[in-house]
Amino acid sequence: MTRPADPIVRHFRQILMWPLQLMPMASADQRNPGRVQTPWEYLDQCEGPNPWLELVDDFNVDPAQFQERHYREFVTFLPHVQRFLYGQARSVVSKVGFGESPIRIFRRSDVSACRMHFSDGQAVDFSLSHVDLYFFFDIDIVFLVVEIFADDLPLSRVQDTLYRFGRDSPAGWHPDGSPVACIPHVDWLGTEGQVLVSSDMNDREGYLAFAGEHRAQRIGAHWQYLLEPMVHHHTDRPGPIRYRQIEYHRMPKLSYLALDDPFVLTDDDFFRLAMATRPDDGLPLPYSPEVIRSVKAEMLYDRFWNAEMRDLRASTRVVGNGHAMSIVGSWQDPFFRDIEAGMRGQFRHQYFLVGLIAHFHKACLLMFSDRLINSVSLLDLDDPESERRFRETIRSTREVFLRFNHRYWFHEVSNQSMARDLFEMWSRHLRTDRLFKEVREEVLDMGTYLDSDDARRQGDTVLRLTVVTIFGLIGTIATGFLGMNLIDEADNEMVVKLRIFASVLLPTVLITLLTIRYSKALSEILDTIAAESGEGWLSRLRRVRRVIAGRRSERRRMN
């Protein structure tokens, strides 16, 4: 099925949600692995140029200024999600509440537009609604959120933007040196239209050399610029707040497309939007019928879509695969284009938050998995310091995961149909439930290992104490004659009594230390002697001799 012309998208809006993992900050307090990092404090107080300013919460305003849009956004979510997103204010009646929101948002206002130079030589300026950083208390994850928009774009241009924009590094390079699957050239523009920074995706040698040296992908210069003064962890640049990638190099995105008549879009158009793939080139889709059927079954949300009616009330369709989600509707529908109470406003606020929560869940779980893998890879059982660090890291990770499970993890965010269904759709495509089970099992396995290791250490201690007690009993009885007046030295000089005391004390200490040193071997000897096997004493002594010989050979192998 083909279209007679390239439809015009009257309004196109896209929100990028890029999760990044924050690395431990180099400070003296970081010697405590359980300490909660507060990178937003560094960002707020860092020296030098700092374009970031903490965003005042819309809910912390004078009640008389509280707008209906804020109310509509608030009531969309269930109470436990409301407390996560907005916190809970203290009241006169109940002064103890859940506290402030664990989310801290910073915004920069020096970037006003994004100029994209496409492969056909055309340049399009997209306005920037905002560029934000989302920090989360007790979780070492930060989200870069970038919202762009433009009017009256051909659908093919929108599809090309969905496919190419929002990649932190190129997938490869064409023979002419241009990057594969990326916008060839991107400029961030300042408030006066000046170019602040340009992309470097065509620097093939630089990206290859970086990957070869650091075993990590280099991040484009224009994306690094947006994140400053935070610093990419795999570079040599100094900076207290360092980050690294936690997911794929394609940033998660949520898009809004308003057309005069969305019913003119074909199944192929919706397939391309759902997959965020290349625009229509006039050729059939290079996918099997099974893939196309699965897209229709799993990536289309048609609760408010009915092509047969061709009615504005049934002209909204949601398509996506989890990493890219698009809401398509009619610009002729006043509700769909309303930026306050309509679909456009809900897209920017309610549905953005729904997507942010889903991707936040996945990023957190990937971070926990990365921590566990890193801890195990650095464990050296022959190094006591390495073993101590491993135990502290695992205990800290278990504590943070427990708080994440009770504070941030939930399966339902709303009882409103579309918000509820979209969250389920996101979670299903991102497979967060399965990832949660895997990480939880890994955390429990680590906990079981620590518990068994603690039990082993405790058992060894009890064993040593038991052996020392048994052999100390012999010494106690043997030396008890000193208190029985068998040798009357009470009238002798103090020097003589001290000599007698030392002659008893020093061998006793030496015997005790040797008993502790060879407690395991002595325990095996005691077990051999005490075994109820019906053997005679001669056979038992031979077994004791074999135990001693085995211990000697084991020491020789270790040496």
Side-chain angles (χ1 to χ4, degrees), residues 85-100:
L85 295 174
Y86 315 108
Q88 180 171 323
R90 294 185 176 183
S91 63
V92 178
V93 178
S94 177
K95 294 184 177 180
V96 180
F98 289 87
E100 298 179 354

Side-chain angles (χ1 to χ4, degrees), residues 66 87 142 195 220 239 244 295 311 314 344 431 486 492 522 538:
F66 197 76
V142 62
V195 176
R244 71 177 180 183
V295 168
D311 190 289
R344 184 156 52 137
R431 301 178 181 177
L486 296 179
N492 270 339
L522 293 173
L538 187 60

Side-chain angles (χ1 to χ4, degrees), residues 11-79:
H11 186 77
F12 169 68
R13 189 174 289 266
Q14 185 179 88
I15 302 177
L16 300 177
M17 300 173 286
W18 186 20
L20 296 165
Q21 181 179 0
L22 293 172
M23 307 306 296
M25 292 181 291
S27 64
D29 294 336
Q30 286 302 309
R31 289 175 297 181
N32 179 8
R35 178 185 179 273
V36 176
Q37 294 194 117
T38 54
W40 51 86
E41 295 180 357
Y42 286 82
L43 190 64
D44 193 30
Q45 303 171 6
C46 67
E47 300 178 356
N50 183 12
W52 298 100
L53 182 65
E54 186 168 8
L55 188 65
V56 178
D57 190 354
D58 291 337
F59 289 77
N60 291 334
V61 297
D62 189 299
Q65 300 177 356
F66 197 76
Q67 302 177 18
E68 182 179 348
R69 180 191 66 76
H70 302 148
Y71 179 79
R72 288 175 177 268
E73 175 187 327
F74 181 78
V75 300
T76 298
F77 300 99
L78 294 172

Side-chain angles (χ1 to χ4, degrees), residues 448-490:
T448 302
Y449 168 78
L450 292 183
D451 293 340
S452 62
D453 189 61
D454 289 340
R456 179 187 61 81
R457 290 170 180 267
Q458 185 178 7
D460 290 345
T461 302
V462 173
L463 173 67
R464 289 186 174 91
L465 291 176
T466 303
V467 173
V468 170
T469 301
I470 293 174
F471 283 87
L473 179 64
I474 300 174
T476 301
I477 296 174
T479 58
F481 71 92
L482 291 176
M484 298 173 61
N485 296 325
L486 296 179
I487 301 176
D488 186 10
E489 298 291 343

Side-chain angles (χ1 to χ4, degrees), residues 144-211:
L144 175 68
V145 177
V146 180
E147 181 178 343
I148 63 173
F149 64 94
D151 295 327
D152 299 328
L153 296 176
L155 178 62
S156 59
R157 183 69 70 199
V158 170
Q159 291 174 331
D160 205 25
T161 304
L162 288 173
Y163 173 62
R164 299 181 184 278
F165 186 63
R167 298 173 184 256
D168 59 38
S169 57
W173 291 267
H174 294 291
D176 62 356
S178 60
V180 172
C182 290
I183 304 292
H185 188 82
V186 177
D187 298 322
W188 297 123
L189 306 182
T191 54
E192 299 179 357
Q194 74 278 19
V195 176
L196 299 176
V197 68
S198 299
S199 62
D200 60 349
M201 298 292 197
N202 56 352
D203 184 11
R204 177 179 178 273
E205 289 72 18
Y207 280 88
L208 294 179
F210 189 94

Side-chain angles (χ1 to χ4, degrees), residues 126-304:
F126 292 81
S127 299
L128 261 70
S129 180
H130 57 79
V131 179
D132 295 340
L133 286 176
Y134 280 68
F135 294 94
F136 301 86
F137 182 77
D138 201 22
I139 297 293
D140 297 335
I141 291 292
V142 62
F143 272 79
L144 175 68
V145 177
V146 180
E147 181 178 343
I148 63 173
F149 64 94
D151 295 327
D152 299 328
L153 296 176
L155 178 62
S156 59
R157 183 69 70 199
V158 170
Q159 291 174 331
D160 205 25
T161 304
L162 288 173
Y163 173 62
R164 299 181 184 278
F165 186 63
R167 298 173 184 256
D168 59 38
S169 57
W173 291 267
H174 294 291
D176 62 356
S178 60
V180 172
C182 290
I183 304 292
H185 188 82
V186 177
D187 298 322
W188 297 123
L189 306 182
T191 54
E192 299 179 357
Q194 74 278 19
V195 176
L196 299 176
V197 68
S198 299
S199 62
D200 60 349
M201 298 292 197
N202 56 352
D203 184 11
R204 177 179 178 273
E205 289 72 18
Y207 280 88
L208 294 179
F210 189 94
E213 178 181 359
H214 300 284
R215 297 298 186 270
Q217 286 180 279
R218 172 176 157 183
I219 294 177
H222 56 305
W223 296 115
Q224 292 193 52
Y225 175 84
L226 282 189
L227 292 167
E228 291 177 351
M230 298 197 304
V231 178
H232 188 201
H233 180 61
H234 297 288
T235 62
D236 298 330
R237 296 174 55 193
I241 310 177
R242 310 185 72 86
Y243 61 87
R244 71 177 180 183
Q245 291 171 301
I246 191 67
E247 286 195 54
Y248 192 49
H249 69 277
R250 294 187 69 174
M251 303 176 191
K253 61 190 68 175
L254 175 63
S255 305
Y256 170 96
L257 289 76
L259 299 89
D260 288 331
D261 184 8
F263 296 113
V264 302
L265 299 184
T266 65
D267 291 343
D268 290 355
D269 292 328
F270 283 113
F271 182 92
R272 290 185 172 90
L273 292 175
M275 300 291 289
T277 187
R278 303 172 186 272
D280 189 0
D281 55 2
L283 299 176
L285 289 171
Y287 298 95
S288 67
E290 290 76 12
V291 172
I292 296 177
R293 282 195 296 269
S294 67
V295 168
K296 292 182 179 180
E298 300 178 4
M299 301 184 188
L300 303 181
Y301 179 72
D302 291 344
R303 187 182 187 92
F304 303 104

